[in-house]
Amino acid sequence: MLSIDGIDAGGAVRIAGRLDAAQAPTAQSQFDRLAGVVTLDCTHLDYISSAGLGVLLKTHKRLVAGAGALRLQGVKPHIRDIFEYSGFDQIFDLGSAG
Amino acid sequence: MTQQAFARRVDALAAIVAFTDAALAPSVLDEARRQAVHLAIEELFTNMVKYSPAGAPKIVIEISCSDGAANVTLIDAGVEPFDPTRAPAVRTDPPLERREPGGLGLHLTRQLVDSIHYEHDAEHREGRTRFRVDPAEARPTAAGTAPARGDDHAQH
């Protein structure tokens, strides 16, 4: 299961659960509504696959093109490893460890 | 050993997660290594779905736990050979403006599993991808610490 809260609230967006290939289209449709500099609270994100990474990358590129960014915080160590294996730790602000 | 067949659809992933969690219940793998099993299964399964020929049967997943490790086999019948262990290496160092979504699944799989092997039975047109995930303490790097980027330790 995946939950995303705070999309339209203007503060941090919270994501929880599993961001996998089955959930990626839903996540992308919600992230497409984001604008500016957005903090994504990943404290309760338990799992991410390459499909989920694709959602984050597409969103980050769109936001950066508009002088914004997608900043992550609270990333769990095993998910941080996935970012490092992918080289995404070099293109995302991962903040402090979760 | 537990085994189950899954429809060639991405929305089968929820059932695959439940099956995998149940199969891993007796294992000693920590959360990170369990998630490595989930990720490798998802990436291999979705790749098989993506390249499914018409009329191919369901994809069978087998999982067994022994000596603290998880041993997984995905059986993809009715297909031509595709060896995921020989997929081209991907570059993970381009800057943001040159990064595009996609292409990371098999790379991540090879990074996260401790061994991976592919065989194809031409007579029965059946591919079998086997991989093993060891407990964190059995890996060459410290638990929770990624090996150096590009350190692909897959066994071909």
Side-chain angles (χ1 to χ4, degrees):
Chain A
M1 289 297 294
L2 178 75
S3 69
I4 299 172
D5 297 310
I7 288 283
D8 298 315
V13 174
R14 296 173 299 281
I15 186 169
R18 298 175 54 86
L19 183 48
D20 62 15
Q23 301 294 331
T26 299
Q28 189 66 68
S29 68
Q30 296 201 51
F31 284 4
D32 284 347
R33 290 154 49 195
L34 296 172
V37 177
V38 178
T39 298
L40 185 63
D41 181 352
C42 300
T43 305
H44 298 291
L45 180 65
D46 300 318
Y47 173 88
I48 191 167
S49 66
S50 66
L53 292 175
V55 171
L56 299 186
L57 177 62
K58 182 178 178 183
T59 303
H60 186 45
K61 288 190 72 167
R62 180 178 62 79
L63 294 177
V64 167
L70 185 64
R71 294 176 176 165
L72 312 185
Q73 69 178 26
V75 179
K76 294 181 177 180
H78 69 276
I79 292 180
R80 189 173 286 262
D81 283 351
I82 301 295
F83 276 78
E84 292 182 13
Y85 289 134
S86 309
F88 277 33
D89 58 322
Q90 301 300 306
I91 56 179
F92 278 93
D93 178 353
L94 295 181
S96 56
Chain B
M1 189 270 288
T2 56
Q3 180 190 81
Q4 191 169 326
F6 297 93
R8 291 176 179 269
R9 299 195 307 265
V10 172
D11 62 10
L13 281 174
I16 291 174
V17 170
F19 165 75
T20 303
D21 279 337
L24 293 179
S27 85
V28 299
L29 297 177
D30 64 16
E31 184 61 19
R33 302 308 291 149
R34 286 171 187 261
Q35 297 298 0
V37 175
H38 280 290
L39 186 141
I41 290 176
E42 177 185 332
E43 302 296 355
L44 292 165
F45 179 83
T46 55
N47 202 62
M48 291 171 181
V49 169
K50 185 176 180 180
Y51 296 104
S52 289
K58 291 182 175 180
I59 295 167
V60 175
I61 302 177
E62 298 176 349
I63 302 177
S64 64
C65 300
S66 62
D67 299 327
N71 297 282
V72 181
T73 303
L74 287 89
I75 304 169
D76 189 16
V79 300
E80 297 303 311
F82 174 75
D83 186 347
T85 71
R86 298 186 181 281
V90 297
R91 292 199 55 177
T92 59
D93 58 350
L96 177 64
E97 58 271 22
R98 296 215 314 267
R99 296 294 299 254
E100 296 296 336
L104 285 171
L106 296 179
H107 166 76
L108 288 173
T109 297
R110 293 189 302 228
Q111 292 288 316
L112 286 167
V113 304
D114 293 284
S115 70
I116 184 166
H117 174 75
Y118 177 79
E119 61 189 28
H120 184 264
D121 180 338
E123 181 179 353
H124 298 98
R125 300 182 66 232
E126 180 181 279
R128 287 178 178 252
T129 305
R130 294 187 172 90
F131 70 84
R132 191 186 76 247
V133 170
D134 289 329
E137 57 271 23
R139 305 196 86 205
T141 55
T145 302
R149 188 170 301 116
D151 177 16
D152 192 334
H153 55 267
Q155 296 176 5
H156 294 184

